[in-house]
Amino acid sequence: MLVLAIDRALEHRRLRGEVARLREVAAGPASTSSLVGESAAMREVEQLIERVAASDATVLVTGESGTGKELVARAIHARSPRRDGPLVTVNCAALPEALLESELFGHVKGAFTDARTARPGLFAQAAGGSLFLDEIGELPLALQPKLLRALQDRVVRPVGGDREVEVDVRIIAATNRELATLVAERAFREDLYYRLDVIRVELPPLRARDNDVLLLAQHFLVRSARRAHKAIDGFSPAAARQLLAYSWPGNVRELQNCIERAVALARYATISVEDLPDRVRAPATRPDPVASDDLADLPTMEEVERRYIARVMAAVGGNKASAARILGYDRTTLYRKLDRYRGNS
């Protein structure tokens, strides 16, 4: 019991220090991108964005719903030579097929009953900038050849028109579905898939970004408290512990909604456990794979070691010298293992 009490106290102290550190980070100057994250997975995303932004190549952003794909599109546009041009966004799943065609490509006067005047489409409106096609996997099959033509030849034909119009636009598309699977199911054109999947930016789910949960939570807290005109500046260690324990199936969007709710309900200067939603206050206990009787669930020794090293590193706040002492490694061995597991993550 004494050991458990000591462990609990150390964890409490570590979380209190981490919350204080993240409060300072969130209060610092805004970055050039709206992406927030310190995890290795997000650092890789940031590095890829920096590399692709300067080109005009088509980008396909993939990831689960709620991971922030539109933020990636905005970051790419903001860092590109087209930054002074417009970023036009359309959700391909939000409009019926007939309306979506007119929205994308425009129409001429008299093209249909309500077309009293000619109207430029989103391709034309995005001239000199970027066009973000969200939920591209939901694009109707009948419109896919027309989009393919626009991507290949940089021309569009307005609905009801008899001539094509040149367009100067960079395409960024996003999907939470696997387009290759849709191609196999004949729900998506293979040639369009390859035209879209030139450079892929894959966003990790929040559960794979444990180091970012509290940083994102503090970021959302600052914004929500400012909008609500409330003097709330952080989380209690117990609330931080619950945020870390939850698996966030709804990803960053779910975390943002959770923090907005907590700020609305909070009565004090610190978010407490009572301010969090029920599902976060009492998350389902994650099963320990090592205790499983199912051979398919048992991890390799390398995976067990990777998880334990990550846990120790988190407990000591990233101090490699302290982690090496606890693990019984010399520093060279620890550095080598960290490099290997970082490459496999």
Side-chain angles (χ1 to χ4, degrees):
M1 292 296 291
L2 178 60
V3 173
L4 289 175
I6 292 173
D7 286 346
R8 188 78 169 182
L10 289 173
E11 176 71 2
H12 184 90
R13 180 179 178 183
R14 184 187 71 80
L15 286 173
R16 186 170 56 191
E18 180 68 0
V19 168
R21 182 186 74 83
L22 295 175
R23 189 181 301 140
E24 293 178 1
V25 172
S31 84
T32 56
S33 144
S34 51
L35 293 173
V36 176
E38 295 180 335
S39 64
M42 285 308 294
R43 285 200 302 270
E44 289 181 8
V45 170
E46 284 276 5
Q47 290 166 6
L48 183 54
I49 288 173
E50 288 289 351
R51 292 166 61 190
V52 307
S55 77
D56 250 0
T58 300
V59 177
L60 180 64
V61 187
T62 63
E64 295 178 8
S65 179
T67 49
K69 293 184 286 295
E70 184 172 348
L71 293 180
V72 170
R74 293 186 180 280
I76 292 172
H77 177 74
R79 303 179 196 187
S80 75
R82 294 175 173 269
R83 67 179 68 88
D84 294 328
L87 171 63
V88 178
T89 298
V90 59
N91 187 323
C92 298
L95 298 171
E97 181 177 331
L99 183 56
L100 181 58
E101 182 178 10
S102 175
E103 280 290 304
L104 287 174
F105 309 114
H107 62 257
V108 299
K109 181 180 178 179
F112 45 85
T113 303
D114 294 327
R116 297 183 178 88
T117 60
R119 182 177 181 275
L122 297 181
F123 269 88
Q125 293 175 36
S130 306
L131 177 61
F132 176 52
L133 302 173
D134 199 8
E135 302 291 355
I136 191 64
E138 307 302 325
L139 187 71
L141 267 172
L143 292 186
Q144 291 180 23
K146 201 163 185 178
L147 177 59
L148 178 63
R149 173 97 168 124
L151 290 175
Q152 288 182 155
D153 301 327
R154 302 294 170 178
V155 294
V156 298
R157 185 190 296 272
V159 176
D162 56 7
R163 66 184 184 88
E164 293 178 325
V165 180
E166 291 187 2
V167 290
D168 172 28
V169 63
R170 187 208 190 141
I171 300 297
I172 305 171
T175 180
N176 60 7
R177 305 180 68 182
E178 180 50 64
L179 294 187
T181 301
L182 295 180
V183 169
E185 295 171 352
R186 299 185 181 279
F188 203 86
R189 290 179 62 108
E190 185 175 25
D191 46 6
L192 177 58
Y193 167 52
Y194 288 122
R195 276 287 174 182
L196 290 169
D197 197 13
V198 177
I199 299 175
R200 179 178 293 216
V201 178
E202 188 165 355
L203 274 177
L206 188 54
R207 60 182 174 274
R209 300 172 52 187
D210 285 347
N211 296 347
D212 291 339
V213 170
L214 292 184
L215 180 59
L216 283 162
Q218 186 67 35
H219 172 74
F220 295 137
L221 172 65
V222 171
R223 291 197 329 188
S224 297
R226 186 182 299 124
R227 285 198 298 265
H229 305 290
K230 283 189 167 185
I232 304 173
D233 60 5
F235 300 88
S236 71
R241 187 179 304 113
Q242 293 306 113
L243 292 175
L244 290 172
Y246 186 61
S247 61
W248 301 108
N251 293 297
V252 178
R253 186 182 297 127
E254 183 185 10
L255 175 60
Q256 180 177 2
N257 292 340
C258 167
I259 300 306
E260 287 181 1
R261 175 192 187 277
V263 168
L265 297 179
R267 293 172 293 175
Y268 307 107
T270 301
I271 298 295
S272 67
V273 172
E274 289 69 29
D275 300 322
L276 302 176
D278 290 343
R279 66 183 184 279
V280 179
R281 286 205 298 265
T285 303
R286 296 180 185 179
D288 180 1
V290 178
S292 173
D293 291 328
D294 188 344
L295 294 179
D297 289 339
L298 293 176
T300 64
M301 284 301 297
E302 183 175 278
E303 175 64 13
V304 172
E305 181 183 54
R306 184 191 68 78
R307 295 181 194 177
Y308 185 59
I309 290 176
R311 183 175 179 182
V312 171
M313 287 292 293
V316 298
N319 187 307
K320 295 184 178 66
S322 298
R325 283 196 300 273
I326 294 171
L327 293 164
Y329 298 149
D330 57 56
R331 290 195 190 186
T332 301
T333 299
L334 177 60
Y335 292 160
R336 187 177 68 251
K337 288 180 180 291
L338 287 173
D339 285 341
R340 183 171 82 239
Y341 293 140
R342 189 177 296 118
N344 292 337
S345 61

